[in-house]
Amino acid sequence: MKVIAIVSAKGGVGKTTLTANLATALHRQGVATVLVADLDPQNALGLHFGADPASLAGISRASLEGEGWGSVCVQSLAGVHVLPYGVVNEADRVAFERHLDAHPDWLAQQLHSLDLPQDAVVFIDTPPGPSVYMQQALTAAQVVVVVSLPDAASYAALALMQRLVHAYCTPRPDFSETLYVLNQADGARQLSKDIKRVMQDSLGARLIGVVHEDQAVREALAYDQSVLEYDTHGQAADDLRKCAQVLAQHLGLRLAGGAP
Ligand SMILES: Nc1ncnc2c1ncn2[C@@H]1O[C@H](COP(=O)(O)OP(=O)(O)OP(=O)(O)O)[C@@H](O)[C@H]1O
Ligand SMILES: [Mg+2]
């Protein structure tokens, strides 16, 4: 099992979008077991898979009630296994977060107890910035994917993420590497091109993908579909497929078609 934490210091950069679409792309490219877990009280990840946003069932409530995750895991039409955060009231959210704070290895243990196949891939979607959820995800992950936008504020915020990775991941022997995705790139804007070049120069092969700004990404969500299904031949779908292939290479996964 490979656990990938999708993180960013700043909000609204495309973490949930990338979690859903990279998971779908990897499954379509031949990874049999792909699981996505939503560790964000926004409970938005399920929307990308057609889940009911008002459904109470999810990781938060199941954990508070001492139930296993099997009861709240749904399989999407695309074949990805989805664990929504679920809907909880404020008191329950606070109680859940206290539990996570007191048990830093909670997520790692929950994932371990699922007994997934060795070649399974698990994506963890997180809220932006330091939080008990990000701490859990970083503590369980072998690979961290940092998502950034091509603007100065996002670029400056990369340093915070690097410090958090250093605190929670680097000391662990099972941690592999930190990778980066530049999202909403726009080839018509000079700043976007400049930041892309700076990231390519400074990160090298750790920049695993550049996903372009594409209206189809927003539209796909409105129709409860992945971008790959909604606009198969569009720019973002193409970028996301390529990014998933590079991610698979870093994970050492064998994809349909012979890679790696
Ligand atoms: N490549 C893209 N092109 C166009 N729109 C995009 C792209 N990527 C993401 N978006 C849009 O940007 C918005 C934010 O995306 P998303 O919710 O995935 O970000 P997030 O990082 O998960 O946000 P949060 O920090 O609040 O969890 C959404 O409306 C999404 O549809
Ligand atoms: Mg999100």
Side-chain angles (χ1 to χ4, degrees):
M1 173 179 67
K2 304 274 192 202
V3 181
I4 304 160
I6 309 284
V7 300
S8 69
K10 284 188 65 64
V13 299
K15 292 179 297 301
T16 304
T17 304
L18 285 169
T19 303
N21 284 283
L22 291 178
T24 303
L26 279 187
H27 184 58
R28 287 166 71 129
Q29 290 168 14
V31 181
T33 306
V34 181
L35 178 85
V36 295
D38 190 354
L39 271 198
D40 184 345
Q42 288 184 70
N43 194 31
L45 182 60
L47 294 176
H48 290 261
F49 296 97
D52 175 5
S55 171
L56 303 182
I59 292 174
S60 50
R61 186 169 301 273
S63 300
L64 286 167
E65 292 175 0
E67 282 177 20
W69 285 2
S71 59
V72 291
C73 187
V74 287
Q75 192 169 11
S76 74
L77 287 176
V80 173
H81 299 275
V82 184
L83 282 163
Y85 182 91
V87 177
V88 280
N89 63 33
E90 266 306 281
D92 285 348
R93 181 185 63 77
V94 171
F96 180 46
E97 292 178 5
R98 280 212 192 101
H99 181 78
L100 301 191
D101 203 27
H103 301 88
D105 286 332
W106 166 85
L107 177 62
Q109 284 170 4
Q110 292 287 333
L111 292 173
H112 187 70
S113 69
L114 291 177
D115 211 13
L116 294 173
Q118 208 186 339
D119 59 355
V121 176
V122 178
F123 288 90
I124 311 291
D125 187 23
T126 60
S131 68
V132 71
Y133 300 106
M134 185 191 279
Q135 187 177 333
Q136 289 282 341
L138 293 179
T139 303
Q142 281 84 51
V143 170
V144 171
V145 173
V146 180
V147 185
S148 190
L149 297 182
D151 61 43
S154 287
Y155 185 75
L158 291 179
L160 170 58
M161 269 321 310
Q162 283 154 359
R163 284 199 298 277
L164 292 169
V165 168
H166 193 69
Y168 296 110
C169 304
T170 315
R172 277 188 294 114
D174 67 327
F175 177 68
S176 178
E177 58 184 339
T178 309
L179 305 172
Y180 295 80
V181 175
L182 181 63
N183 188 30
Q184 298 190 34
D186 181 351
R189 283 193 299 129
Q190 190 58 45
L191 179 62
S192 179
K193 288 196 284 187
D194 289 347
I195 288 184
K196 178 178 155 190
R197 189 173 38 75
V198 169
M199 287 181 75
Q200 283 169 332
D201 290 349
S202 60
L203 299 171
R206 287 182 295 149
L207 180 64
I208 59 164
V210 175
V211 180
H212 287 84
E213 162 78 33
D214 184 341
Q215 190 55 33
V217 176
R218 291 191 177 85
E219 290 171 7
L221 181 56
Y223 291 101
D224 291 346
Q225 288 178 21
S226 73
V227 186
L228 309 169
E229 293 153 324
Y230 177 75
D231 187 29
T232 310
H233 303 294
Q235 175 74 65
D238 196 38
D239 295 338
L240 287 159
R241 274 190 299 269
K242 283 187 188 138
C243 185
Q245 278 163 3
V246 180
L247 176 60
Q249 283 166 10
H250 280 264
L251 296 173
L253 297 172
R254 188 168 292 280
L255 298 180

